[in-house]
Amino acid sequence: MLLKPGESLQGRDASYEIVEILGQGSYGTVFRARDQNANFVVIKQFFDTGSASKEDFAYQRKLFWREAEILSQINNPKIVHFIERIPDETQLPPEGDLFLVMELVQGQTLRKVFDDWRISHNNQPFPAENVVAVGMELCESLGYLHSLPGQIIYRDLKPDNVMWDSVGQKCKLIDFGTARFSDQSKRATQGLGTEGYAPPELYSSRAELGFYTDTYTIGALLYELLTGDTPDPKVTPSHFRGYDAGIPNGLQAVVIKSLQLDPINRYPTAGAMYEALETLHLAPEEPALESVGAPRATNLHPLLSCFCPNCGAVPRTDKAIYCGKCRGLIHTVMLRVLPKNAPPALLYLQKSESLLGRTDPDGGVFPDVDLSRFDAGRFVSRRHATIKRDGVKFFLTAHKTLNPTRLAGFAVAEGATVPLENEARLEFADLVCNFVVRPVVNP
């Protein structure tokens, strides 16, 4: 069943609240979600939409499960981080929906950055310096995959499968749907790849795949970034005639070598191609895509819940992640509600002084943080407590109630005000919560 915003998905060690739908396809939906620690994640749900044949659906289901299996073995800062697959089983379940939970890479695809650059620069491709920097990062990522015990071949490198991580300021590989373990089989079972980027061996069930398969795709991607066109898949380019004369000869030679139709004439590994690019001494010192308009990180949390923990200032724009006064990292404030019979939920504190309690329309009581939906027994009072921010410090004030307010297991006297620390355990009657202060991004 398709998940909907506001619903929760229970994982092995965490619960995920669906925030919004990012995209939909023939085999499922991609969501932005949030875990109980306020980390944003991406969830890919694979289910039968009825748009594919039974055989095709079964095959794609196997690919989805293999993608999760491959990602679970990867730990590299330039590759999207795997969190978990649901259900957490060693074998592909015979039926039922499948879920893949990964980090949310904030930014844009390399395709979007490249297209935006060309639109704003009279259809010109990237400068050679940026192309070399991108190439070196991709060689590092793919070289890491090749070095793993299973010797993973990525197979489908293209600008759409590379994300610019605007927080970490680096390129990341994101889609492993066609990746495979080369130590299990070196034959292409069917034509998987994208025309314009895939080498000849990906279209033949007789040809063997190898690390050189990925070095070809790196070269094809760099060729497009330098020229605006993908190379002819049937002919090895012999020159860059007709394109910008400013492309250094050394860079042209590296790209043409990687695009040789005969694998034996290519770079045998991504590491070898990295060394060839590095010796050109063209890569800039700043992040690879900084000078070509790649987006910067933005704040995905509500503006009114944010403040600077160093100076107490409130950000002026909803996209800011650093304080305009002291350059400290902006933080957000929230309440993690831990109901007895429901998944955890996060509620933002969007006022400097927030009343917590239960809504009572008849009595005209509308607290800033409404706990009614977590309080089936109606034990929480209408005006149960107040949380106030004073500069960079927070305080809890208990109001007159039938059921007490507790901090760290101790009752807070009526009218008393006590300081709050991050992750403090709060109890409003029998409803347990945590007070949470955290950075708006993970630096």
Side-chain angles (χ1 to χ4, degrees):
M1 181 180 295
L2 178 64
L3 292 172
K4 299 180 180 62
E7 295 182 343
S8 294
L9 174 67
Q10 184 61 49
R12 181 181 60 252
D13 301 316
S15 175
Y16 307 98
E17 181 184 359
I18 305 301
V19 177
E20 65 174 336
I21 295 175
L22 297 178
Q24 292 180 296
S26 302
Y27 303 102
T29 304
V30 181
F31 303 93
R32 179 163 69 96
R34 186 177 55 195
D35 69 14
Q36 57 207 42
N37 294 317
N39 297 304
F40 287 107
V41 301
V42 166
I43 296 178
K44 295 172 69 174
Q45 180 183 11
F46 187 93
F47 67 99
D48 190 355
T49 62
S51 60
S53 67
K54 183 177 180 180
E55 293 76 15
D56 189 40
F57 176 78
Y59 177 72
Q60 292 297 330
R61 197 167 185 268
K62 289 180 181 179
L63 287 183
F64 185 89
W65 193 253
R66 186 174 68 187
E67 177 181 11
E69 180 184 4
I70 289 175
L71 282 171
S72 69
Q73 300 184 33
I74 294 172
N75 183 18
N76 186 281
K78 293 184 178 179
I79 298 174
V80 63
H81 177 62
F82 168 88
I83 297 175
E84 66 173 312
R85 64 181 176 188
I86 304 170
D88 183 23
E89 300 178 8
T90 56
Q91 299 296 324
L92 174 62
E95 58 184 14
D97 293 355
L98 306 176
F99 300 90
L100 174 56
V101 185
M102 303 173 288
E103 69 165 316
L104 173 69
V105 181
Q106 190 184 144
Q108 294 176 344
T109 64
L110 178 57
R111 165 64 61 209
K112 182 68 164 63
V113 177
F114 185 54
D115 288 349
D116 286 350
W117 168 266
R118 299 190 71 189
I119 290 171
S120 61
H121 289 78
N122 196 28
N123 209 33
Q124 292 298 305
F126 277 167
E129 295 77 11
N130 301 95
V131 175
V132 170
V134 170
M136 291 173 65
E137 290 200 13
L138 296 177
C139 285
E140 287 183 302
S141 303
L142 293 171
Y144 166 81
L145 294 178
H146 299 165
S147 70
L148 293 175
Q151 298 181 339
I152 297 169
I153 300 177
Y154 188 74
R155 299 204 293 183
D156 194 24
L157 183 66
K158 55 186 176 182
D160 301 88
N161 288 347
V162 178
M163 279 289 293
W164 174 250
D165 179 359
S166 58
V167 177
Q169 295 284 285
K170 60 173 74 77
C171 293
K172 281 190 174 184
L173 299 181
I174 58 169
D175 191 332
F176 280 71
T178 60
R180 68 183 299 172
F181 295 103
S182 67
D183 66 343
Q184 296 177 2
S185 172
K186 296 187 181 297
R187 300 281 182 181
T189 55
Q190 70 176 70
L192 289 176
T194 302
E195 184 176 356
Y197 306 96
E201 60 266 25
L202 277 178
Y203 296 102
S204 171
S205 60
R206 296 181 180 180
E208 286 195 355
L209 307 183
F211 302 148
Y212 47 74
T213 302
D214 281 341
T215 61
Y216 181 100
T217 62
I218 298 173
L221 183 146
L222 300 188
Y223 186 94
E224 181 183 10
L225 298 184
L226 287 168
T227 66
D229 297 320
T230 54
D232 187 329
K234 299 178 181 179
V235 180
T236 297
S238 58
H239 53 72
F240 281 74
R241 191 174 302 133
Y243 298 109
D244 184 3
I247 302 175
N249 292 334
L251 179 55
Q252 293 186 37
V254 171
V255 173
I256 290 175
K257 179 177 175 64
S258 67
L259 291 175
Q260 296 296 308
L261 295 186
D262 187 344
I264 199 171
N265 295 324
R266 299 178 205 152
Y267 293 101
T269 66
M273 188 170 179
Y274 176 91
E275 292 177 1
L277 290 169
E278 186 180 35
T279 57
L280 299 175
H281 302 294
L282 290 174
E285 293 185 2
E286 68 265 16
L289 298 181
E290 183 178 52
S291 63
V292 290
R296 295 183 177 275
T298 59
N299 180 9
L300 299 177
H301 301 274
L303 173 65
L304 296 179
S305 71
C306 299
F307 79 111
C308 174
N310 296 330
C311 68
V314 176
R316 295 183 178 181
T317 69
D318 57 358
K319 294 184 178 181
I321 62 172
Y322 291 103
C323 176
K325 291 186 176 180
C326 72
R327 302 305 299 165
L329 186 59
I330 298 296
H331 283 50
T332 185
V333 188
M334 60 192 75
L335 199 67
R336 182 191 300 123
V337 185
L338 305 170
K340 291 182 179 179
N341 300 310
L346 291 170
L347 304 177
Y348 290 101
L349 304 183
Q350 300 196 56
K351 290 186 175 181
S352 58
E353 186 170 341
S354 299
L355 174 64
L356 287 67
R358 177 168 47 82
T359 294
D360 179 10
D362 296 334
V365 179
F366 299 93
D368 303 306
V369 179
D370 183 13
L371 301 176
S372 302
R373 63 188 173 106
F374 311 106
D375 180 38
R378 299 174 65 85
F379 298 121
V380 175
S381 297
R382 294 175 295 176
R383 298 181 178 87
H384 206 100
T386 296
I387 293 179
K388 180 179 180 180
R389 180 173 71 87
D390 185 3
V392 298
K393 297 182 179 180
F394 291 85
F395 299 91
L396 171 73
T397 300
H399 299 317
K400 182 177 181 180
T401 60
L402 291 176
N403 299 299
T405 298
R406 290 185 172 87
L407 171 61
F410 296 95
V412 181
E414 175 190 330
T417 298
V418 293
L420 281 178
E421 299 293 337
N422 183 36
E423 292 294 341
R425 177 186 170 92
L426 303 174
E427 296 174 62
F428 307 109
D430 64 346
L431 182 61
V432 178
C433 303
N434 295 127
F435 176 70
V436 179
V437 180
R438 58 150 295 154
V440 295
V441 296
N442 293 320

